[in-house]
Amino acid sequence: MTSIEAWFMDDSDEDHRMPHKLNPNEPVSLKELENIGVFYWKLDADIYETDPALEKIRKDRGYSYSDIITIDKDKLPNYEDKLKMFFEEHLHLDDEIRYILDGRAYFDVRDREDRWIRIAMTKGDLITLPAGIYHRFTLTETNYTQAMRLFVGEPVWKAYNRPADEFDIRQKYATDSSRACFFWVERDDSSSYMVVRLKRTLSWRYRAGSCCTRPSSCLSDSFKRPRYNRHTAALLFACRGEEREVIGLQGEEERPERPQK
């Protein structure tokens, strides 16, 4: 699969149609996008009306409704107002699915640390944003794109501007246990360590200790030991001040092999 281009954004207030890359650039991989629920396909937009690859995606994922929107000052009524609305940070109660048929555009999404990731969309790019993710949309300097909008069932156009944390779908997205990460933290005297589950996945650069996103392969055996004193507690770590759940505490004699970084 061709990888889409994405990167962490800077904090500049300049024209939001500019790339806004950091210096040096910090790219975001397709895998990292998938970890926050964003999925991507590269298709042939020239044959979108008869494309079997698109038809298969629609069938497999239940995208029964579609329409086409052209975002151009000469073709979209209330063009300026619509662009301002699209660029307001918001979420939807359903997935957002967009397929770029022509032109270019940006989708910006929040990662688990609330950092903006900019996703560059070009002709042939199909993307799905999960329900509950904060995001926004804008054109590039070309000021033009044409996109197919897809939905499961009847289209739902309602957007909820941030803050919208009261919705169940937002809470589910933010606390999805399938995106949790396990890692261990040694005490100063190296006599024991804590096995910790993050309540939300953080970027690798901010995790303390050694991490393992597949606990079944490195830590789960220790969970089954009779001597394991299982308990939970709220804990704040100095590294980021993020709340974590302490899964357990073990002594030196029970320490499993350290997971590789």
Side-chain angles (χ1 to χ4, degrees):
M1 181 186 294
T2 304
S3 181
I4 196 169
E5 186 181 8
W7 56 86
F8 285 109
M9 296 182 67
D10 63 26
D11 296 323
S12 171
D13 292 327
E14 290 184 66
D15 187 348
H16 54 71
R17 298 169 301 170
M18 303 297 288
H20 287 280
K21 293 183 178 182
L22 295 169
N23 186 17
N25 182 39
E26 291 188 33
V28 176
S29 69
L30 183 60
K31 183 62 178 176
E32 288 175 291
L33 291 178
E34 291 176 354
N35 287 340
I36 59 172
V38 176
F39 291 90
Y40 165 79
W41 294 262
K42 186 69 173 183
L43 302 174
D44 185 351
D46 290 330
I47 60 169
Y48 74 90
E49 293 179 306
T50 58
D51 185 8
L54 175 60
E55 184 59 30
K56 184 178 188 305
I57 292 171
R58 295 188 60 166
K59 181 178 179 180
D60 292 346
R61 302 179 71 90
Y63 300 154
S64 55
Y65 176 93
S66 67
D67 69 1
I68 295 175
I69 182 173
T70 301
I71 306 178
D72 176 89
K73 64 180 180 180
D74 296 325
K75 296 184 179 180
L76 181 66
N78 302 315
Y79 171 79
E80 294 293 344
D81 291 338
K82 289 287 181 63
L83 284 185
K84 290 179 182 178
M85 180 182 70
F86 294 156
F87 197 65
E88 287 286 336
E89 184 176 0
H90 62 277
L91 59 77
H92 301 290
L93 306 186
D94 299 279
D95 291 356
E96 180 163 333
I97 308 102
R98 297 294 182 268
Y99 179 22
I100 304 299
L101 303 179
D102 197 15
R104 299 164 54 201
Y106 293 127
F107 271 104
D108 300 336
V109 297
R110 291 282 193 181
D111 74 352
R112 298 288 172 178
E113 296 171 64
D114 227 27
R115 296 180 68 187
W116 279 119
I117 295 173
R118 172 149 284 187
I119 304 170
M121 302 285 290
T122 59
K123 183 177 179 179
D125 291 340
L126 189 155
I127 197 171
T128 67
L129 307 183
I133 193 173
Y134 282 122
H135 65 282
R136 63 192 183 191
F137 171 88
T138 187
L139 296 177
T140 69
E141 308 97 301
T142 62
N143 293 314
Y144 166 75
T145 195
Q146 185 180 68
M148 176 184 289
R149 302 180 289 190
L150 298 110
F151 296 87
V152 176
E154 291 298 316
V156 179
W157 306 109
K158 180 65 176 177
Y160 299 90
N161 289 346
R162 190 169 186 174
D165 296 333
E166 70 275 12
F167 290 102
D168 290 343
I169 194 65
R170 173 60 191 173
Q171 295 174 27
K172 181 179 184 301
Y173 174 79
T175 61
D176 189 345
S177 61
S178 68
R179 298 185 177 93
C181 171
F182 291 76
F183 70 113
W184 57 266
V185 179
E186 264 189 346
R187 287 193 165 187
D188 291 340
D189 59 4
S190 298
S191 63
S192 61
Y193 69 95
M194 290 170 286
V195 180
V196 180
R197 179 170 67 86
L198 278 66
K199 292 192 174 181
R200 62 191 183 100
T201 302
L202 300 182
S203 169
W204 286 101
R205 64 176 61 83
Y206 290 125
R207 292 177 189 160
S210 293
C211 304
C212 180
T213 55
R214 296 194 308 169
S216 61
S217 65
C218 63
L219 295 177
S220 61
D221 286 344
S222 65
F223 293 166
K224 302 173 185 177
R225 297 180 183 179
R227 292 175 295 172
Y228 186 71
N229 182 20
R230 191 177 182 86
H231 66 284
T232 58
L235 184 65
L236 295 179
F237 282 93
C239 65
R240 290 286 291 170
E242 300 287 350
E243 188 177 3
R244 283 118 163 125
E245 179 183 353
V246 179
I247 301 300
L249 180 65
Q250 291 193 330
E252 176 74 19
E253 72 284 357
E254 295 181 297
R255 182 183 303 168
E257 183 180 352
R258 294 183 179 182
Q260 296 298 314
K261 289 186 178 180

